[in-house]
Amino acid sequence: MLPWIRAARVPRTRSLLAALLLALTVLVAPTATASAAPAAEAATSRGWNDYSCKPSAAHPRPVVLVHGTFGNSIDNWLVLAPYLVNRGYCVFSLDYGQLPGVPFFHGLGPIDKSAEQLDVFVDKVLDATGAPKADLVGHSQGGMMPNYYLKFLGGADKVNALVGIAPDNHGTTLLGLTKLLPYFPGVEKFISDSTPGLADQVAGSPFITKLTAGGDTVPGVRYTVIATRYDQVVTPYRTQYLDGPNVRNVLLQDLCPVDLSEHVAIGTVDRIAFHEVANALDPARATPTTCASVIG
């Protein structure tokens, strides 16, 4: 590449990235701030994070919901948590990966430390419910991070199933944007120092290398991955899939070809994906997931 062509494109790319980040901040921050208190009340009133809940014979395991990067225990689950509660599950959600001075937006701390928080939370849920094992459902980083808990922190003895919705199980190139980092001196170090949870998710990072060494899965756990071909964050989308026994990889558009959900929608509002989550949690009572599942 000619040096003046590269020089012309790098500032343009920098401006584009800055604009995208600014737009994300403007669009998301007020919503999270304004909705936090009402959402917390909604969680209580709709029956999740109810530590008096006892699993039924039909649904003998509590479900732990694990939010994604920039998410939290409430906003990520305003649709899925009630959806599962209404189907008779004891449902719980945690906050993890908090950074000092950063409210509402979590999942930014070192992912191995976040997995330790998940470990403590699952123990708390199992103690409260009396269940021997839990099922985990996670979105984005929340579908990937539990793999560390399962592989390195003894979680496989406490978990029956892991359902990942758009999980970055093998990291992500973010549509190739991570390949631009070498062109911006200091940016990669800034991301690593300031938001290690983001740096850990880059494909090929030391964290992802450790996580995937020796295989994707551990014995005794059932795995389901639900992906969308329109994912613009975990890319390429097929890197979300796991390889191993007791794995089911699902592409949303194979179930409903007209479903256009991208990375955020599939984990927060897509009832077709949520129907498949319910199937994964209770495969003995699974029913076909189709475009009509949106009204289920």
Side-chain angles (χ1 to χ4, degrees):
M1 177 180 291
L2 297 176
W4 56 85
I5 295 178
R6 176 186 295 179
R9 289 182 177 177
V10 168
R12 182 178 179 182
T13 304
R14 183 186 292 114
S15 299
L16 175 60
L17 291 174
L20 289 173
L21 289 172
L22 179 60
L24 179 64
T25 301
V26 171
L27 291 172
V28 176
T31 301
T33 303
S35 65
E41 295 174 3
T44 303
S45 64
R46 296 183 187 183
W48 97 85
N49 281 338
D50 176 4
Y51 286 88
S52 67
C53 185
K54 299 299 179 184
S56 65
H59 302 303
R61 292 174 299 275
V63 177
V64 174
L65 303 178
V66 190
H67 65 75
T69 308
F70 296 116
N72 60 60
S73 62
I74 303 300
D75 291 348
N76 212 140
W77 307 120
L78 290 173
V79 180
L80 180 58
Y83 180 94
L84 294 176
V85 168
N86 291 340
R87 283 156 179 76
Y89 289 93
C90 292
V91 180
F92 303 86
S93 60
L94 78 156
D95 287 303
Y96 70 86
Q98 302 93 328
L99 291 181
V102 182
F104 309 119
F105 303 110
H106 303 320
L108 298 173
I111 298 182
D112 57 346
K113 300 302 180 183
S114 295
E116 293 176 6
Q117 292 179 273
L118 176 62
D119 186 10
V120 172
F121 189 81
V122 170
D123 285 349
K124 178 182 177 181
V125 168
L126 295 181
D127 287 345
T129 60
K133 289 189 175 184
D135 290 327
L136 308 181
V137 178
H139 177 214
S140 192
Q141 180 190 164
M144 172 271 287
M145 176 268 280
N147 286 314
Y148 190 95
Y149 165 59
L150 298 177
K151 293 183 76 171
F152 302 112
L153 301 179
D157 294 332
K158 307 171 189 176
V159 172
N160 169 71
L162 169 60
V163 183
I165 307 173
D168 51 342
N169 284 319
H170 299 94
T172 176
T173 66
L174 198 62
L175 285 176
L177 290 181
T178 57
K179 295 179 181 178
L180 296 174
L181 290 177
Y183 292 96
F184 304 100
V187 171
E188 190 166 8
K189 185 177 187 303
F190 174 80
I191 292 174
S192 180
D193 292 346
S194 303
T195 54
L198 295 181
D200 284 346
Q201 293 178 75
V202 174
S205 72
F207 176 84
I208 292 295
T209 299
K210 177 180 179 179
L211 180 66
T212 56
D216 289 343
T217 64
V218 295
V221 178
R222 289 190 296 105
Y223 297 84
T224 302
V225 173
I226 305 171
T228 171
R229 70 169 70 254
Y230 302 113
D231 199 311
Q232 79 283 33
V233 175
V234 182
T235 54
Y237 76 85
R238 291 186 181 277
T239 62
Q240 300 173 28
Y241 293 163
L242 295 172
D243 183 27
N246 295 322
V247 171
R248 182 167 183 256
N249 296 310
V250 180
L251 182 63
L252 195 60
Q253 285 72 34
D254 287 343
L255 307 175
C256 178
V258 297
D259 192 320
L260 302 179
S261 285
E262 37 62 66
H263 184 78
V264 175
I266 190 177
T268 57
V269 297
D270 193 307
R271 293 174 70 90
I272 297 172
F274 296 166
H275 186 271
E276 195 61 21
V277 169
N279 281 347
L281 294 175
D282 191 1
R285 297 179 178 86
T287 58
T289 300
T290 68
C291 295
S293 299
V294 71
I295 61 175

